[in-house]
């Protein structure tokens, strides 16, 4: 790219003068933020389906009590890998994909700050994914220590664990590079006139998320490095016999793990905050308070990690501190929910698919938020720790939260990406199937957890049969519903109604000033924001 | 296009330093955690306990049973007495014996546990072989004392306390190849 000034009068008109290799080399060598965004999104969708197959195998086994389909060892590998694949392979890269596509478009930058590093941070991911999935075929199978990889179990696992540790290292490096790229792009490359407080909320939430990533991914890298040296190099970080402590692992892991939860939800908040104003035809209510709420959630996320560990025997003072700190997070989160509702209040609402997913998100995510508050209460947590109640809680916030927001965002921006409208009828079908089957799958898990069914176990007592059967039916329904999404995306890429530059009539933001599909290069001359 | 490249590089450097710093922070959590545990008085398995109440309660007796286990180690490990009867507050010393059956030096660390579990906080060890790593030469036999007091505050419903030690091999200690293949000296 050059510093030749284009005539702003025909600034975006002159379409693709894209000079890039064709075929596979286009994708391998690309440094274009839109190509890389597309790669991230496809990668995460493939990982989403892989993790989904694991989940369905788990649910098939749990359809009835007793062991029918898989052996307990393999079942534990499935629960472990399902978690890791969904967190590190599906949800996180999907949000990075959105960031790549949208952030330069939304702030009026020509590309990401470090285009080649961007290529590298994507292409590390398939390597990590191969290591991760390949560990199923290692002697002893994949790691079965749970996605949290608690010591001492993870210290005793077979070679699959080492592959997993390297995969985590690689994915961590990829995330950190991606995050550095995003922070630099947002802070240094905004169009003239776009002050931080005029920035779209999606960019704000990603800026804060990127800082969280830079702060905690290295801590996870440290934790798994300690596991690795404990396994092979005679250190005793987590080995009681050598003066170490397995509980220490939990502290280090959750110091990463809790901010990680917000890494997966803050960009979702950003997407929802873009969509609701568009379909309510009103500006976002309480923009500044949204920014402060996001920052507060991020800061609080560093001081609540031990609420994952109430049963490890910490002093009562510690339990009280972590309980109250956790409950405090409900305040900024509540601010966000109320702001979204206030944005919709007396708006001219229409319910296209992105809006359906956004409203659905608010409804189901809030249920997940409330069960989170229940889990935060120490004496209750002691009862429901490691039961299906917790499984229900985090699927309500991760599936109905992060994943629904991802779908909402995908429907919202796919006309901009492909230049075609998606099939609205199929989109609505996808929403209603997802919404209904999601609740059929996960709502009964609350009851299972309250009744005492432990998680991560392939068999269960017969009194849990009915709810498990319902959950399994729901899970298969939910899983197959996602194929509707695949069909919609493929159809939308192939053709469909031409999308206008401003796809949604009251959508606001720079991305709607460029034609649909967005040209290969945009904003080589910076737009001026008033 | 504006050239923000030099600014970007500066930013990259700063953020990379933060990331490296946080990697170090992960490791800094280890001593930090140990310090917190020490200050809070939890997890002090390797420190002698102190006794404040030295009043011997002659009105009741408690049976202390001794148990010994090894975890995948070539050691024979047993208490010299199976059990003793003590009054709460009374100072008592008993001995364990350990034999290294391997033809090379082996290091191990004993970890105590208690039954019933809540008796742990009333069982005070003044001296114990479990406070240190033990290294035995090839074929060495060693007798190791435990000096303890049962706190008179022990709840009245506890009449028997079982003290159980498990020796774990400390890997990576000098001259010790990794993990012995099979458990030979297991007593249970």
């Amino acid at each position: 790219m050059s510093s030749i000034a284009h005539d702003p009068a025909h600034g975006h008109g002159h379409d693709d003068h894209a000079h890039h290799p064709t075929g596979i080399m286009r994708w391998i060598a690309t440094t274009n933020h839109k190509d890389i965004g597309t790669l991230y999104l496809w990668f995460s969708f493939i990982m989403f389906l892989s993790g989904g197959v694991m989940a369905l195998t788990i649910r098939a086994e749990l359809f009835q009590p007793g062991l029918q389909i898989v052996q307990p060892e393999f079942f534990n590998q499935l629960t472990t890998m399902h978690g890791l694949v969904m967190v590190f392979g599906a949800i996180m890269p999907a949000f990075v994909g959105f960031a790549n596509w949208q952030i330069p478009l939304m702030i009026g930058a020509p590309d990401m700050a470090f285009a080649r590093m961007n290529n590298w941070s994507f292409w590390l991911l398939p390597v990590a994914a191969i290591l991760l999935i390949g560990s199923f075929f290692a002697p002893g199978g994949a790691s079965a220590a749970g996605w949290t990889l608690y010591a001492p179990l993870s210290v005793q696992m077979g070679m699959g664990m080492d592959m997993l540790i390297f995969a985590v290292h690689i994915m961590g490096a990829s995330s950190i590079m991606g995050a550095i790229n995003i922070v630099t792009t947002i802070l240094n490359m905004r169009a003239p006139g776009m002050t931080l407080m005029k920035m779209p909320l999606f960019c704000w939430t990603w800026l804060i998320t990127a800082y969280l990533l830079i702060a905690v991914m290295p801590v996870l890298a440290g934790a798994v490095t300690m596991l690795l040296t404990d396994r092979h190099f005679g250190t005793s970080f987590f080995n009681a016999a050598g003066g170490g402590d397995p509980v220490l692992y939990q502290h280090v892991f959750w110091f990463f793990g809790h901010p990680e939860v917000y890494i997966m939800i803050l960009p979702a908040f950003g997407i929802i905050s873009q969509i609701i104003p568009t379909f309510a035809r009103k500006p976002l209510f309480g923009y500044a308070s949204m920014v402060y709420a996001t920052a507060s959630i991020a800061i609080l996320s560093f001081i609540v990690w031990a609420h994952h560990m109430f049963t490890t025997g910490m002093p009562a003072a510690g339990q009280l501190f972590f309980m109250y700190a956790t409950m405090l997070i409900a305040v900024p989160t509540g601010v966000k929910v109320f702001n979204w509702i206030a944005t919709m209040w007396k708006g001219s609402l229409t319910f296209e698919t992105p809006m359906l997913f956004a409203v659905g998100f608010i409804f189901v995510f809030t249920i997940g938020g409330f069960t989170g508050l229940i889990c935060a209460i120490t004496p209750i947590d002691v009862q429901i720790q490691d039961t299906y109640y917790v499984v229900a809680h985090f699927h309500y916030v991760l599936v109905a939260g992060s994943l629904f927001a991802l779908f909402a965002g995908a429907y919202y921006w796919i006309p901009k990406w492909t230049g075609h409208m998606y099939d609205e009828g199929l989109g609505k079908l996808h929403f209603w199937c997802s919404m209904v089957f999601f609740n059929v799958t996960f709502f009964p898990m609350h009851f299972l957890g309250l009744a005492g069914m432990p998680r991560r176990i392939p068999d269960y007592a017969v009194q849990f049969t009915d709810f498990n059967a319902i959950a399994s039916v729901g899970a298969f329904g939910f899983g197959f519903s996602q194929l509707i999404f695949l069909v919609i995306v493929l159809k939308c890429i192939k053709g469909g109604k031409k999308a206008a530059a401003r796809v949604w009539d009251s959508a606001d933001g720079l991305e709607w000033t460029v034609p649909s599909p967005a040209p290969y290069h945009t904003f080589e001359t910076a737009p001026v924001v008033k | 296009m504006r050239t923000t490249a030099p600014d970007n590089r500066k930013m990259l450097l700063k953020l990379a330093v933060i990331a490296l710093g946080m990697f170090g922070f992960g490791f800094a959590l280890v001593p930090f955690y140990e310090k917190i545990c020490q200050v809070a008085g939890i997890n002090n398995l390797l420190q002698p306990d102190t006794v404040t109440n030295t009043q011997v309660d002659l009105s009741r007796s408690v049976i202390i049973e001794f148990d010994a286990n090894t975890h995948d180690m070539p050691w024979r490990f047993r208490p010299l007495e199976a059990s003793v009867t003590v009054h709460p507050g009374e100072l008592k010393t008993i001995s364990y014996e350990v034999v290294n059956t391997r033809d090379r030096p082996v290091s191990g660390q004993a970890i105590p546990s208690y039954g019933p579990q809540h008796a742990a906080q009333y069982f005070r060890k003044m001296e114990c072989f479990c406070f240190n790593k033990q290294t035995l030469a090839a074929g060495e036999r060693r007798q190791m004392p435990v000096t303890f007091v049962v706190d008179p505050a022990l709840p009245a419903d506890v009449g028997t306390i079982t003290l159980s030690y498990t020796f774990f091999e400390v890997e990576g200690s000098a001259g010790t190849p990794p993990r012995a293949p099979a458990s030979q000296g297991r007593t249970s």
Side-chain angles (χ1 to χ4, degrees):
Chain A
M1 283 175 279
S2 64
S3 52
I4 300 164
H6 290 286
D7 179 10
H10 59 97
H12 319 300
H14 58 119
D15 245 35
D16 279 315
H17 49 74
H19 309 292
H20 55 69
T22 48
I24 184 89
M25 279 316 286
R26 166 183 174 182
W27 299 104
I28 290 175
T30 185
T31 56
N32 180 286
H33 72 100
K34 301 183 185 83
D35 281 356
I36 293 174
T38 307
L39 285 171
Y40 265 109
L41 290 170
W42 275 113
F43 172 80
S44 59
F45 191 71
I46 293 165
M47 294 306 276
F48 171 64
L49 294 184
S50 324
V53 169
M54 296 175 201
L56 291 188
T57 317
I58 292 168
R59 282 317 320 172
E61 174 57 49
L62 291 173
F63 183 63
Q64 284 183 329
L67 297 177
Q68 290 89 25
I69 297 170
V70 294
Q71 290 305 302
E73 296 77 17
F74 185 58
F75 182 92
N76 291 344
Q77 295 172 25
L78 284 174
T79 52
T80 304
M81 297 304 276
H82 164 71
L84 287 165
V85 163
M86 287 302 199
V87 168
F88 293 105
I91 302 280
M92 287 170 69
F95 281 124
V96 182
F98 273 85
N100 266 294
W101 250 106
Q102 289 306 128
I103 287 178
L105 283 180
M106 291 169 111
I107 63 171
D111 204 314
M112 297 296 279
F114 308 106
R116 275 181 227 153
M117 190 168 84
N118 205 11
N119 172 290
W120 182 228
S121 46
F122 171 75
W123 281 107
L124 282 177
L125 282 179
V127 179
I130 290 167
L131 265 177
L132 204 58
I133 308 271
S135 69
F136 273 115
F137 306 100
S143 168
W147 84 277
T148 50
L149 313 175
Y150 275 5
L153 194 52
S154 53
V155 178
Q156 297 160 359
M157 288 277 140
M159 179 185 158
M161 185 70 202
D162 298 314
M163 296 172 75
L164 191 162
I165 288 173
F166 287 125
V168 169
H169 276 136
I170 296 171
M171 289 186 292
S174 157
S175 289
I176 292 167
M177 287 194 284
I180 289 177
N181 221 333
I182 289 167
V183 171
T184 312
T185 308
I186 294 180
L187 291 185
N188 286 357
M189 297 174 69
R190 294 190 310 281
M194 177 163 289
T195 59
L196 279 174
M197 289 310 271
K198 277 188 191 163
M199 207 162 61
L201 214 68
F202 177 70
C203 301
W204 254 115
T205 54
W206 241 117
L207 176 65
I208 290 165
T209 304
Y211 271 114
L212 283 180
L213 277 167
I214 294 169
V216 300
M217 287 309 288
V219 177
L220 175 68
V224 294
T225 306
M226 290 183 222
L227 277 182
L228 192 72
T229 59
D230 266 18
R231 287 166 59 79
H232 297 295
F233 303 107
T235 59
S236 295
F237 287 107
F238 312 127
N239 178 3
D245 186 346
V247 177
L248 168 66
Y249 175 82
Q250 299 188 20
H251 280 288
V252 183
F253 178 85
W254 285 114
F255 186 85
F256 147 81
H258 203 81
E260 167 71 11
V261 173
Y262 297 111
I263 287 167
M264 291 188 281
I265 201 65
L266 291 182
F269 290 166
I271 291 175
I272 300 302
S273 305
Q274 298 300 131
I275 292 173
I276 300 263
T278 297
F279 295 96
R281 289 159 184 84
K282 273 175 67 191
L284 184 69
F285 184 89
Y287 172 90
S289 67
M290 285 297 221
V291 173
Y292 296 131
T294 311
S296 318
I297 293 173
I299 291 163
L300 284 173
S301 74
F302 284 103
I303 56 160
V304 298
W305 77 90
H307 67 211
H308 297 268
M309 317 167 42
F310 280 145
T311 56
T312 54
M314 75 173 85
Q319 294 184 335
L320 283 174
F321 171 77
F322 286 110
M323 175 170 91
Y324 287 126
T326 304
M327 291 175 150
L328 209 54
I329 293 187
V331 177
T333 314
V335 167
K336 283 178 166 291
V337 172
F338 285 123
N339 279 345
W340 289 322
I341 292 171
T343 307
M344 288 191 277
W345 181 255
K346 293 194 172 168
S348 312
L349 296 174
T350 51
F351 293 93
E352 286 87 346
T353 312
M355 184 63 164
L356 282 177
F357 269 105
V359 176
F361 164 93
I362 297 175
F363 172 60
V364 230
F365 174 80
T366 307
I367 295 178
F370 278 127
T371 56
L373 271 179
I374 292 169
C375 293
I377 301 166
T378 310
I380 298 182
D381 184 73
V382 171
Q383 297 297 313
I384 57 181
Q385 150 103 10
D386 262 343
T387 69
Y388 264 82
Y389 194 87
V390 178
V391 176
H393 158 67
F394 66 71
H395 282 94
Y396 262 80
V397 287
L398 275 180
V399 179
S402 306
L403 184 65
F404 278 17
L406 284 165
F407 284 138
Y411 287 113
Y412 186 56
W413 283 308
I414 204 170
K416 180 55 65 189
W417 300 340
T418 64
H420 304 125
M421 291 306 286
Y422 60 88
D423 186 324
E424 189 68 53
L426 280 181
K428 285 187 170 138
L429 179 72
H430 176 221
F431 168 74
W432 286 111
C433 287
S434 295
M435 188 69 172
V436 169
F437 284 122
F438 168 80
N439 282 294
V440 172
T441 310
F442 292 105
F443 207 80
M445 290 187 188
H446 292 114
F447 305 132
L448 285 172
L450 289 173
M453 179 172 163
R455 63 193 276 212
R456 293 173 171 161
I457 294 181
D459 192 4
Y460 50 82
V462 283
Q463 74 262 31
F464 302 132
T465 309
D466 291 348
F467 282 135
N468 270 297
I470 294 170
S472 289
V473 169
F476 276 86
F478 186 81
F480 288 115
S481 305
Q482 305 321 310
L483 298 178
I484 305 174
F485 180 68
L486 181 62
V487 170
I488 295 170
V489 171
L490 292 177
K491 267 184 75 177
C492 186
I493 292 170
K494 281 218 175 104
K497 208 178 109 221
K498 249 351 249 137
R502 193 172 297 274
V503 177
W504 312 104
D505 55 10
S506 55
D508 197 24
L510 286 177
E511 76 262 42
W512 309 112
T513 62
V514 301
S516 303
Y520 200 65
H521 297 292
T522 40
F523 297 130
E524 288 180 298
T525 308
V528 176
V529 180
K530 285 172 204 79
Chain B
M1 183 197 152
R2 304 136 287 158
T3 50
T4 54
D7 287 347
N8 290 357
R9 264 193 292 277
K10 247 182 268 167
M11 179 79 77
L12 171 70
L13 207 67
K14 275 188 227 161
L15 295 173
V17 168
I18 297 178
L20 274 178
M22 289 309 291
F23 185 71
F25 176 81
F27 285 87
L29 282 175
V30 178
F32 182 67
Y33 172 76
E34 279 162 10
K35 195 77 201 159
I36 295 253
C37 288
Q38 202 186 330
V39 171
I42 45 180
N43 197 30
N44 51 355
L45 293 175
L46 302 181
Q47 269 89 46
D49 297 309
T50 50
V51 174
T52 44
N53 187 350
T54 52
Q55 193 71 42
V56 179
D57 182 0
L58 292 171
S59 67
R60 61 187 282 225
S61 305
V62 182
I63 302 169
I64 314 291
E65 298 177 335
F66 303 103
D67 177 42
N69 307 285
T70 58
H71 181 81
D72 284 351
M73 278 186 80
W75 284 11
R76 262 205 315 274
F77 178 42
R78 66 187 181 94
L80 292 182
E81 303 152 88
S83 68
V84 294
T85 307
V86 295
H87 298 299
E90 179 190 349
L91 197 68
K92 185 82 188 170
T93 301
I94 58 104
S95 287
Y96 274 80
E97 184 185 78
V98 62
V99 182
N100 181 5
T101 58
R102 184 53 67 86
D103 56 359
R104 55 176 175 76
V106 175
S107 298
Q109 171 73 52
I111 302 291
S113 62
Y114 305 89
Q117 210 174 17
H118 66 269
Q121 55 184 310
Y122 304 102
F123 196 92
R124 308 284 158 97
K125 300 187 296 299
M126 314 289 110
E127 193 190 332
C128 178
F129 55 89
C130 61
F131 295 153
N132 296 102
K133 185 172 82 178
Q134 303 289 330
T135 305
L136 270 71
E140 185 182 346
R141 174 187 304 265
R142 182 180 295 173
Q143 291 195 359
M144 305 173 300
V146 181
T147 303
F148 64 89
V149 175
V150 175
D151 193 318
L154 181 76
D157 62 333
V158 180
T160 305
I161 298 175
T162 305
L163 170 62
S164 171
Y165 285 105
T166 305
F167 256 111
F168 290 87
E169 183 165 351
V170 180
E171 292 180 41
S173 50
T176 315
R179 196 175 285 283
S183 59
Q184 298 167 12
R186 175 170 290 175
T187 56
S188 52

